[in-house]
């Protein structure tokens, strides 16, 4: 799933490692908490490959698309609850305790899934994992932020985003490593318990966040921890004073915010316009289809015509690797080009990539290999697909054969040297699959042989390459900048919840859509939503690059529409040399 990596410049990054090298205690704190981000990325990415083998072991999962979607999306549903409960737990019991609880949930989920005897246990395990993901997604960066020196705080927090995408990449590597192992998906899902145990042990020997301790009146403990974090003379005293002022200001802001309901906040012009931009970006981040690629990448590869599970997993490494690389690109360009420019460039590329994918899948489904009567009769008659055997119509092809999957049918490609020649439409089970493989043929149940498969992979790679630096990271950054400081916690929570809910809706519907209308129309729908996202960015999202919070509030108050987003902006908000803004829109 896409997480919140925050941008930082190269000097901060260099200083981060310089200070961390001089004071390893800081790096130990950040690394230990950052394992939560790694687990977040791993558990959201691993299911894409494990699902291929779960379908092979449980026939009910293979035949019921909604069950596959539930196994994937229940982690997202759990994350919604975990994030909500995590906010309360962080304030009540502390950051360290919340991380320990998240680790227990990760471990419990891994054990339940690895030992599952049916889809019900898998769903239960995914809920446990989702609860852990929800808590870790908000607690890990919070702990790192509050236990880091001020000068390198942003850089250390940003590493959590790297660990999320790195965890997703690691999940694909682990999936590929266990394709030949007995138990396959059980190892894939169960291995996540190891880093959870590792982090749990590390966190037992680490302190609570000094900020949380200070808020709870445990001033001496907070100061003792800060003396380990800060080594230069006078820094601890300065940090304690700043911490005191910050906590007192936060208490005043929270006290006033408690008197204001969300409904009242929406009536405030700046907050309402900030919420429109922030929530809209989070919703569109999911509606353009990113987590269909991250959750179902191997399945999409198979739909493109690659039959082998191992091949699908290997090719899926491209998407996860590009996703991780994209976060680095975003960090480099975010403060050089601005937020809107990255969003616009990225969305234009996403639209073009989705158009390519839609065209490729249309050609794949409309030009799939024919079903040959001679090829089918080559096998024992009892193995023939029942729908094909009883059909009086001619013109059967691979696509039509697979659409009869409700009766359990698969396509055995030609053994005459080309998988594009007529093949056999047979019953779909492990015995028939092995019979097909025994003759050196490829067995298809989720996609048909195609000469355009590599073009589909190019489309997927382009999609990720354009999405990750723009819509992948910018929505989180904008949401950290666009709200008035006194309402940032409430508004940020609303936007994050909208992201998880949209994530759940997309994850729960993708396979059903591909089955009902085909992958070509499904990607075309995502393309249409990407066009809407581009229009939304141009109309509703302001450029917040380099602006102080007060200036952002003034800009929202004026409601500027800057279609000439590439023009440089003066500090007062105007463009140079001419203006492309309209006030009061």
């Amino acid at each position: 799933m896409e997480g919140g990596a925050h941008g930082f410049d190269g000097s901060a990054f260099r200083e981060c490692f310089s200070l961390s090298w001089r004071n390893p205690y800081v790096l130990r704190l950040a690394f230990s908490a950052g394992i939560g981000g790694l687990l977040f990325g791993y558990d959201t990415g691993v299911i894409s490959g494990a699902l291929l083998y779960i379908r092979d072991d449980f026939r009910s999962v293979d035949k019921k698309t909604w069950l596959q979607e539930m196994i994937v999306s229940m982690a997202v549903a759990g994350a919604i609850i975990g994030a909500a409960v995590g906010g309360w737990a962080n304030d009540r019991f502390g950051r360290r305790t919340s991380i320990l609880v998240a680790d227990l949930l990760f471990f419990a989920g891994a054990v339940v899934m690895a030992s599952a005897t049916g889809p019900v246990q898998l769903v239960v395990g995914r809920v446990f994992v989702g609860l852990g993901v929800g808590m870790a997604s908000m607690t890990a960066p919070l702990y790192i932020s509050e236990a880091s020196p001020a000068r390198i705080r942003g850089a250390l927090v940003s590493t959590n985003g790297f660990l999320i995408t790195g965890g997703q990449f690691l999940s694909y590597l682990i999936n590929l490593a266990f394709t030949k192992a007995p138990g396959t998906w059980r190892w894939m899902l169960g291995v996540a318990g190891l880093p959870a145990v590792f982090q749990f042990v590390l966190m037992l020997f680490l302190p609570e966040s000094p900020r949380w301790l200070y808020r709870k009146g445990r001033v001496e403990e907070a100061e003792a921890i800060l003396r380990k974090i800060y080594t230069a003379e006078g820094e601890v005293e300065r940090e304690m004073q700043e911490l005191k002022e910050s906590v007192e200001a936060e208490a005043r802001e929270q006290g006033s915010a408690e008197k204001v309901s969300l409904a009242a906040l929406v009536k405030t012009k700046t907050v309402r316009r900030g919420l429109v931009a922030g929530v809209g970006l989070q919703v569109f981040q999911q509606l353009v289809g990113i987590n269909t690629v991250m959750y179902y990448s191997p399945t999409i590869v198979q739909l493109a015509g690659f039959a082998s599970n191992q091949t699908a997993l290997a090719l899926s490494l491209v998407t996860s690797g590009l996703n991780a690389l994209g976060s680095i690109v975003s960090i480099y360009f975010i403060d050089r080009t601005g937020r809107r420019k990255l969003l616009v460039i990225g969305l234009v590329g996403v639209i073009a990539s989705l158009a390519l994918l839609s065209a490729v899948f249309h050609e794949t489904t409309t030009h799939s290999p024919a079903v040959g009567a001679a090829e089918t009769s080559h096998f024992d008659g009892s193995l023939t697909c029942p729908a094909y055997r009883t059909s009086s119509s001619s013109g059967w092809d691979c696509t039509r054969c697979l659409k009869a999957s409700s009766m359990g049918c698969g396509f055995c490609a030609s053994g005459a040297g080309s998988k594009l020649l007529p093949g056999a439409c047979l019953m779909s089970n492990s015995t028939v699959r092995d019979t097909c493989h025994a003759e050196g043929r490829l067995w298809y149940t989720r996609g048909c042989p195609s000469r355009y498969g590599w073009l589909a992979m190019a489309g997927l790679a382009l999609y990720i390459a354009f999405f990750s630096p723009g819509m992948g990271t910018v929505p989180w950054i904008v949401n950290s900048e666009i709200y008035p400081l006194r309402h940032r916690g409430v508004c940020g929570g609303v936007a994050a919840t909208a992201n998880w809910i949209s994530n759940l809706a997309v994850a729960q519907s993708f396979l059903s859509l591909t089955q009902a209308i085909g992958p070509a129309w499904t990607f075309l729908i995502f393309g249409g939503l990407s066009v809407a996202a581009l229009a939304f960015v141009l109309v509703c999202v302001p450029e917040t690059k380099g602006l102080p919070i007060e200036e952002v509030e003034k800009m929202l108050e004026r409601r500027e529409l800057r279609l000439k987003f590439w023009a440089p902006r003066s500090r007062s908000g105007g463009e140079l040399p001419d203006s492309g803004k309209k006030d009061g829109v």
Side-chain angles (χ1 to χ4, degrees):
M1 189 239 72
E2 293 304 296
H6 300 282
F8 60 94
D9 60 31
S11 61
F13 190 63
R14 289 190 296 271
E15 186 177 9
C16 167
F17 279 95
S18 175
L19 287 181
S20 298
W21 181 261
R22 296 197 302 270
N23 185 4
Y25 183 74
V26 173
L27 196 59
R28 180 184 168 195
L29 290 175
F31 171 76
S32 300
I35 296 175
L38 184 76
L39 282 164
F40 175 8
Y42 184 89
D43 279 303
T44 54
V46 70
I47 194 63
S48 62
L51 189 61
L52 301 179
Y53 296 92
I54 292 171
R55 292 185 302 204
D56 289 341
D57 281 3
F58 298 126
R59 187 171 178 83
S60 59
V61 176
D62 188 38
K63 299 307 174 188
K64 297 176 181 177
T65 299
W66 64 268
L67 197 51
Q68 299 173 34
E69 292 170 333
M70 180 170 289
I71 291 172
V72 171
S73 61
M74 279 304 98
V76 182
I80 297 173
I81 301 171
V85 174
W88 169 80
N90 269 273
D91 286 337
R92 181 70 182 274
F93 303 108
R95 288 49 162 148
R96 174 176 170 271
T97 301
S98 297
I99 292 175
L100 291 173
V101 171
D103 287 330
L104 291 175
L105 290 167
F106 279 126
F107 182 76
V111 171
V112 170
M113 289 187 295
S115 60
T117 58
V120 174
Q121 292 96 318
L122 281 170
V123 170
V124 172
R126 290 289 288 170
V127 171
F128 275 114
V129 164
L131 292 170
V133 164
M135 293 191 72
S137 66
M138 64 172 301
T139 307
L142 185 61
Y143 181 89
I144 296 171
S145 174
E146 294 181 351
S148 302
R151 282 179 291 171
I152 60 171
R153 188 169 292 154
L156 284 176
V157 172
S158 298
T159 60
N160 190 62
F162 283 117
L163 288 169
I164 291 173
T165 54
Q168 291 174 332
F169 184 73
L170 177 64
S171 72
Y172 282 80
L173 288 175
I174 295 293
N175 282 345
L176 192 60
F178 283 113
T179 53
K180 297 294 186 180
T184 52
W185 60 269
R186 297 185 186 276
W187 286 102
M188 296 172 182
L189 299 175
V191 76
L194 297 178
V197 172
F198 184 54
Q199 184 182 42
F200 187 90
V201 173
L202 287 177
M203 294 303 298
L204 286 176
F205 297 97
L206 292 179
E208 181 52 80
S209 156
R211 182 182 181 88
W212 184 84
L213 291 171
Y214 193 98
R215 290 180 63 189
K216 295 298 180 181
R218 296 158 64 176
V219 179
E220 294 80 6
E221 292 180 60
E223 183 176 357
I225 296 168
L226 288 174
R227 292 197 179 279
K228 294 183 179 181
I229 295 173
Y230 292 93
T231 56
E233 184 177 352
E235 284 188 328
V236 173
E237 289 72 19
R238 183 167 56 252
E239 180 68 13
M240 286 291 290
Q241 181 60 33
E242 291 176 356
L243 187 58
K244 178 182 177 181
E245 295 173 358
S246 174
V247 170
E248 289 176 351
E250 181 184 89
R252 290 194 299 270
E253 290 163 2
Q254 287 181 343
S256 62
E258 287 173 356
K259 302 174 185 177
V260 183
S261 65
L262 182 60
L265 285 179
V266 172
K267 295 179 181 179
T268 306
K269 186 186 296 183
T270 55
V271 175
R272 182 177 66 252
R273 289 172 174 171
L275 279 172
V276 168
V279 172
L281 278 177
Q282 295 285 33
V283 171
F284 275 117
Q285 183 192 67
Q286 299 302 319
L287 294 186
V288 301
I290 178 56
N291 279 320
T292 63
V293 176
M294 298 313 298
Y295 295 157
Y296 300 108
S297 183
T299 300
I300 295 172
V301 171
Q302 289 188 331
L303 288 172
F306 296 94
S308 166
N309 286 349
Q310 291 90 341
T311 301
L313 288 172
L315 292 175
S316 295
L317 279 171
V318 175
T319 60
S320 59
L322 285 172
N323 191 37
L325 180 62
S327 64
I328 300 174
V329 173
S330 178
I331 287 170
Y332 183 82
F333 285 105
I334 190 69
D335 288 321
R336 290 169 171 80
T337 64
R339 285 70 164 137
R340 290 187 81 207
K341 186 177 291 186
L342 272 183
L343 287 171
V344 170
I345 294 173
L347 281 169
V348 169
V350 164
I351 292 167
S353 303
L354 288 170
L356 174 62
L357 284 170
S358 181
V360 168
F361 279 109
H362 178 267
E363 289 299 307
T364 298
T365 55
T366 55
H367 294 82
S368 63
V371 172
E375 286 287 326
T376 302
S377 62
H378 169 76
F379 296 90
D380 189 295
S382 62
L383 303 183
T384 303
C385 169
Y388 177 74
R389 186 191 308 130
T390 58
S391 175
S392 58
S393 61
S394 58
W396 273 63
D397 59 13
C398 174
T399 300
R400 185 173 177 183
C401 177
L402 298 190
K403 283 183 177 179
S405 59
S406 59
M407 300 186 68
C409 300
F411 184 78
C412 185
S414 171
S418 173
K419 62 183 181 180
L420 300 177
L421 294 175
C425 186
L426 307 173
M427 296 175 61
S428 179
N429 56 52
S430 58
T431 301
V432 177
R433 179 194 63 202
D434 293 342
T435 301
C436 178
H437 286 162
E439 297 195 3
R441 303 176 183 223
L442 294 176
W443 176 247
Y444 294 84
T445 56
R446 298 171 189 102
C448 292
S450 171
R451 61 171 57 92
Y452 305 107
W454 290 105
L455 195 55
M457 283 305 304
L460 278 177
L462 286 173
Y463 174 88
I464 291 293
F466 280 108
F467 175 90
S468 185
M471 287 297 287
T473 55
V474 174
W476 297 96
I477 296 172
V478 169
N479 270 278
S480 73
E481 301 170 327
I482 201 170
Y483 306 118
L485 184 62
R486 59 193 176 278
H487 303 308
R488 189 172 297 174
V490 174
C491 296
V494 171
T497 302
N499 182 288
W500 282 113
I501 293 174
S502 304
N503 187 332
L504 176 62
V506 172
Q508 186 64 28
S509 61
F510 175 70
L511 290 182
S512 295
L513 277 174
T514 58
Q515 189 175 63
I517 62 177
W521 282 101
T522 301
F523 283 111
L524 192 61
I525 289 174
F526 287 135
L529 291 170
S530 299
V531 173
L534 178 60
F536 174 83
V537 168
L538 290 173
V539 173
C540 298
V541 178
E543 177 58 73
T544 57
K545 168 191 171 185
L547 295 179
I549 298 299
E550 296 78 10
E551 190 66 30
V552 173
E553 288 193 49
K554 292 177 183 178
M555 182 169 54
L556 291 172
E557 182 72 24
R558 293 192 298 265
R559 186 63 169 88
E560 296 177 349
L561 175 63
R562 297 182 67 247
L563 291 178
K564 296 175 72 173
F565 59 88
W566 58 86
R569 178 198 289 273
S570 70
R571 192 58 181 261
S572 62
E575 293 173 1
L576 300 174
D578 57 5
S579 175
K581 69 181 181 183
K582 300 176 183 178
D583 294 337
V585 176

